[in-house]
Each structure stands twice: as C-alpha cells, then as structure tokens.
Amino acid sequence: MAEAPMIEVAGLTKRFGESVQALAGIDLTVQPGEVVCLIGPSGSGKSTLLRSINFLEVPSGGLVRVAGKRVGFREGEGRERRLGGRELAAQRAEIGMVFQLFQLWPHKSALENVILGLVEVRGMALADAARIGHELMAKVDLAEKMDAFPEHLSGGQRQRVAIARALAMRPKVMLFDEPTSALDPELVGEVLAVMEKVAAEGMTMVVATHEMGFARRVSHRVVFMDQGRIVEQGPPEQIFGNPQSERLKRFLDRVLV
Amino acid sequence: MNIDFGFVIPYLPILFKAAGMTIIITVLSQAIGTVLGFFFALARMSNIPVLRGVVWTYVLIFRGTPMLLHLFYIYYAAPAVGITLEPFTAAIVAMSLSTTAYNCEILRAGLQAVPRGQIEAAQAVGMTWPRILRTIVIPQALRVIIVPYMTNFISHTKGSSLASVITVPELMLTAQMIYSSTYRAIEILTAAGAIYLILTSALSMVQLWLERWLRYDERGLSRRRRRQLLLIERHG
C-alpha cells in the first residue's frame, strides 16, 4: 500500500513503577482500512498498547502517530512537549475507543450516550445530533432502545451502544479493548456482528480480543503479543494455520480447544 | 409552676424572626462552604502535592476542632490581631470555615466514587476536563453525595445555635433571652425545639425529593427531553 499509514507505533515502551514492564518496545504500523487483531495471554500488553494509542496511558518511551500526527506530544523545535488538554481532547475525538466494561454513562439514556460527544465536543445542535444518533442506533440494531438507560440494557446491547457512541464522532480509527470479554457467551455474537459491519465499511480497526474466530474471519492481520512484545504477526491464515514461534503454538494450543 | 403553652403565642413573632436569622446564617455559610468545599475537594484530588497538603491540613484543623472554638476565635481572638467583625459577619466566617471542611470531604468522596473508566470514556470521545466534570462526574457524584451532604446540612443547622455565644440574635439566643426574663423555660425551649425540628424536617424533605429526582433511570426521560431528542413528534 502506497498510502501513508493510519497508525504508526515505534519503539513504544510503558513501565508501571519500577518492576512492571507492560510494553517492551512495540513497532506496529496499521494501514487505512486495515483490521488488526491483537491476541495474546492476559497481561501481554494488548490493552496497554491500545490505551497508549489514544494516550489514556502515557508512554514511557517511543511514539505513536495517528493519521500522521503525533499523539500526545507536539513535535519540532528540538524538544517534544506534552499537548495541552484541549489539543489532546481534539486528537482523541478522532480516535474511537470501545472498552471491555462498556463504560456507558449511567445517567444518560442510550441515545444521549451516543450523541453526547457530538453536542459537547463538536458543538452540534441537539436535534441534528439526535438525527445522527437515531441512524447509529439503527445501525447497531437498537432503534427500539434509544430512550432506555444503560441499567436496563443487556451487556451485548450496552456494548453496541458504546460502539455507536464511538462511531458518532466519525473517528479515523476505532480501538476495541476486549469488547466481548465481559459478555455472556450468547451475547458475544451480536457485538461481533456489529464490529464486522464496521470493518466492512472500511474502518481502520485495532481489536484486542480473545475471539479467535473473529480474528480469523475478519482481520487482515493478527498480531500475537506476549510479555509486552510482538512475538509474531501475519495474515490470519498464517498465524492460525502455520504458527512459527513456540510461544504462539503453545498459546493457540491452549485457546483453540 | 404549671405548664402553659399558650404563653408562647405572643412571643411567636420574635421567635420566627429569630428563626429567620438561623436560616440566614445556616444557609449562607452552607452555601459558602459548598462552593469552597467543592474547590477544596478538587484541590485535594489535584496532582499538585502542595495543594493537596494545604487542603489536607485545613480539613485536619477545622474538622478536628469545635465550631464553638472557631466562633470564639473569629469574634474574640481576631480583634487582638486587628480584625474586628460584627457578630453576624464573624458567625458567617466561622461557620463557613467549619462546614467547608466537612463539605470538602463529602464532595471529594462523591467525586472519587465515579469510576475511572467513566472518565476515560469521556476522554475517549474528546471531552476536556471541565466538560467531563460538568457532564459526567458531577451528575454521577450527586447520587453519592446527597445523603452525607444533607446530613451535614442538618447538623450544621443545629450547630448554628452556637452562634448565640457571640450574640447573633438567632433562635437559641432569642429563646434564652425570653425564658431568662420570664422563667418559662419549658414552653420557650419546647417552642424553639419545635422550630428547629421544622427547619431540619424541611431539609429532610428536600433530601427525599433530591433522592427521588436522582433516580433518573427509573423515571425515564421527560416528555420535553424526548421531544428534543426527536423520540416523539413535536406536537405529540
């Protein structure tokens, strides 16, 4: 692909305190429209990597670029500087994020959750935002639940609202942090179906997941992480059909039973 | 001496006026204490160690010493360093200082009860901190805050009787003055107690109403809100 990459991660490291090295030097490039699945055992750094891409974690070293722009820092004139709150917020508005525990706002209805960003961040009029919200709620198949509060939605419905909330900002990239790990097994499918729909529309997606079926079926590339490093990556058929490293083989043996 | 509550009736206007003073000093100092307490709570949660330390020390001192002492200090001790205040002003200052310490801790507990992930979700859609505070954190914190906050408010209402010692003509001082000249302590103190109970009951009612109001998910969206969100027809 000749296009400029959508996400560029270079030499990314993250330490928590003295002893924990969550990321030990990650290099990853994601092209526009590419769907990348991050797989690996718990604590391998998948979440930390995702959270570093929109600066919810401040990296200890290395850099992240999204759509060519350095995330969290201003470059040039020699020294790098942390961005102020406003500039950082503007960057984050371009990066959609879906969390393992949904994190819908409980004091807002489903529709209000979806459009809050449009109203508060983009300054859109309520009625215009509502129209977009209606479309998105229909897209995630929840047109009937627009005025329901999160409390009254199932886990799968909550996560679909959360996806609509992220999509409402028309992000350049969508990050999914184990979006189905907190769901009852029978609710996983409906969320994956929505994600597949989003992928089919050409969204650039990075998905940390334990759903190997989804990774195999939907992703263009699978990245296997362990102990804060990328151990192996490639197209799904290679990763699942012909794993190269011992660690990946052991991991797949354990998860694909 | 026989007890005759009819004796109280001619004194009721004076007692009501005094109750008005009780309301004024209580509400005014609580209002100041809420605003200051809110900013102190934010300061206590900030990542500037000095700020946190200053507020922590403030709370330690003002929550840890009697309000009666604050009143004496502001009214009787401050003139020694050249600050002389009217009884009313001194009461407002002392009572505000005291209730600020409690409100700071109550509000902080509420703000910190909002899960980190809620804030991250707001950051992820691109909201700045003041906006997150206003639209996400405060509305959720209210639910946690309301019970301890109103408890402190009620406690503060009763505590306002201490302002009598610096000659603020509030309910307690007025009651004392009436019974010390008439020797009708039972009648007057009962009347004063009844008035305090009415005031605190009113606050309990407000609390009930607020708690109900904050059960947004049970109540559902208002008609007006539904219209704004295009969930029902404009004239529906």
Side-chain angles (χ1 to χ4, degrees):
Chain A
M1 275 182 255
E3 288 173 280
M6 186 58 92
I7 302 174
E8 224 185 317
V9 176
L12 190 68
T13 59
K14 177 65 185 179
R15 290 186 151 279
F16 293 107
E18 290 293 300
S19 52
V20 185
Q21 178 95 42
L23 296 177
I26 299 284
D27 296 290
L28 180 70
T29 304
V30 181
Q31 301 300 332
E34 196 180 10
V35 177
V36 174
C37 278
L38 306 177
I39 63 170
S42 305
S44 57
K46 307 185 297 288
S47 279
T48 309
L49 172 55
L50 281 178
R51 291 167 56 81
S52 301
I53 293 176
N54 73 349
F55 217 65
L56 285 178
E57 298 297 350
V58 180
S60 307
L63 61 82
V64 175
R65 282 203 182 86
V66 172
K69 262 190 279 176
R70 180 82 188 271
V71 176
F73 292 95
R74 195 196 321 275
E75 280 181 314
E77 300 132 44
R79 267 175 59 226
E80 57 184 30
R81 288 217 181 136
R82 279 278 284 276
L83 288 180
R86 256 164 201 280
E87 293 161 299
L88 182 59
Q91 281 191 336
R92 282 179 174 145
E94 310 278 311
I95 305 170
M97 178 118 182
V98 174
F99 299 85
Q100 181 176 358
L101 298 174
F102 329 127
Q103 303 299 353
L104 293 185
W105 301 305
H107 58 300
K108 303 271 177 199
S109 68
L111 180 62
E112 288 173 318
N113 264 277
V114 172
I115 66 174
L116 191 69
L118 292 177
V119 175
E120 292 289 337
V121 178
R122 301 263 192 256
M124 199 178 274
L126 196 54
D128 297 334
R131 269 182 216 105
I132 294 174
H134 284 229
E135 278 172 33
L136 284 164
M137 286 295 282
K139 181 172 182 170
V140 299
D141 219 6
L142 285 171
E144 305 301 309
K145 294 287 184 184
M146 287 199 285
D147 50 1
F149 280 78
E151 176 94 342
H152 302 135
L153 297 174
S154 72
Q157 291 171 332
R158 286 183 210 185
Q159 196 59 298
R160 284 185 280 151
V161 173
I163 293 171
R165 171 174 71 180
L167 288 174
M169 302 305 288
R170 295 186 145 276
K172 297 195 171 95
V173 179
M174 285 279 281
L175 310 174
F176 295 83
D177 188 4
E178 302 203 15
T180 59
S181 298
L183 295 176
D184 290 339
E186 76 270 23
L187 302 177
V188 168
E190 62 191 60
V191 172
L192 294 182
V194 167
M195 289 168 60
E196 225 172 311
K197 201 149 111 182
V198 176
E201 288 172 1
M203 177 63 77
T204 309
M205 289 167 52
V206 184
V207 185
T209 188
H210 292 292
E211 292 296 326
M212 297 304 145
F214 177 85
R216 191 192 294 242
R217 197 170 62 248
V218 182
S219 63
H220 301 114
R221 182 155 46 117
V222 177
V223 172
F224 172 62
M225 290 179 65
D226 193 20
Q227 296 179 345
R229 292 175 201 281
I230 293 176
V231 178
E232 192 173 337
Q233 58 177 311
E237 42 292 358
Q238 180 201 313
I239 292 292
F240 293 109
N242 184 22
Q244 304 295 309
S245 64
E246 270 313 305
R247 268 194 281 183
L248 176 55
K249 281 179 198 162
R250 273 206 308 275
F251 175 73
L252 291 176
D253 278 345
R254 259 176 297 150
V255 295
L256 297 177
V257 278
Chain B
M1 198 199 311
N2 56 338
I3 297 166
D4 173 17
F5 283 101
F7 169 83
V8 175
I9 293 168
Y11 291 100
L12 279 181
I14 305 175
L15 286 173
F16 286 156
K17 191 162 171 252
M21 179 56 86
T22 290
I23 293 173
I24 290 171
I25 59 175
T26 303
V27 172
L28 192 55
S29 59
Q30 180 70 0
I32 294 169
T34 302
V35 174
L36 282 181
F38 175 70
F39 287 109
F40 280 28
L42 292 182
R44 185 82 167 71
M45 291 158 62
S46 84
N47 43 21
I48 305 166
V50 179
L51 213 51
R52 284 203 307 268
V54 167
V55 172
W56 183 83
T57 311
Y58 177 91
V59 170
L60 184 77
I61 292 171
F62 283 90
R63 195 177 58 172
T65 52
M67 188 161 87
L68 186 58
L69 185 132
H70 308 158
L71 286 157
F72 279 144
Y73 227 94
I74 300 292
Y75 189 60
Y76 294 116
V81 291
I83 305 168
T84 309
L85 297 173
E86 295 294 305
F88 177 81
T89 318
I92 294 295
V93 171
M95 288 171 68
S96 300
L97 288 173
S98 182
T99 197
T100 293
Y102 290 95
N103 283 324
C104 169
E105 291 298 88
I106 290 166
L107 299 179
R108 182 168 70 90
L111 296 172
Q112 288 182 337
V114 178
R116 178 97 204 107
Q118 286 285 306
I119 296 163
E120 289 182 350
Q123 289 176 317
V125 297
M127 286 196 226
T128 51
W129 179 236
R131 228 175 257 283
I132 294 171
L133 199 58
R134 181 168 61 73
T135 60
I136 305 297
V137 178
I138 292 175
Q140 291 187 54
L142 278 181
R143 263 193 175 184
V144 182
I145 285 165
I146 222 68
V147 174
Y149 179 84
M150 292 308 288
T151 300
N152 176 50
F153 201 161
I154 287 170
S155 174
H156 190 59
T157 306
K158 298 180 296 175
S160 73
S161 60
L162 295 171
S164 61
V165 299
I166 59 166
T167 72
V168 175
E170 47 66 71
L171 188 52
M172 199 65 220
L173 180 66
T174 308
Q176 278 174 336
M177 286 187 339
I178 297 171
Y179 75 66
S180 57
S181 62
T182 62
Y183 302 102
R184 291 284 187 167
I186 291 181
E187 290 87 343
I188 295 296
L189 285 176
T190 305
I195 295 175
Y196 274 115
L197 196 57
I198 290 168
L199 297 183
T200 53
S201 301
L203 288 175
S204 291
M205 293 302 143
V206 170
Q207 179 182 333
L208 268 185
W209 181 80
L210 284 172
E211 283 184 61
R212 193 169 326 151
W213 179 66
L214 286 169
R215 284 203 290 265
Y216 28 74
D217 42 0
E218 285 170 34
R219 201 176 53 243
L221 294 174
S222 69
R223 244 187 124 60
R224 183 164 163 269
R225 188 73 181 154
R226 278 165 200 269
R227 256 200 296 278
Q228 287 174 337
L229 294 171
L230 313 178
L231 290 169
I232 48 177
E233 293 292 313
R234 237 163 229 291
H235 303 289

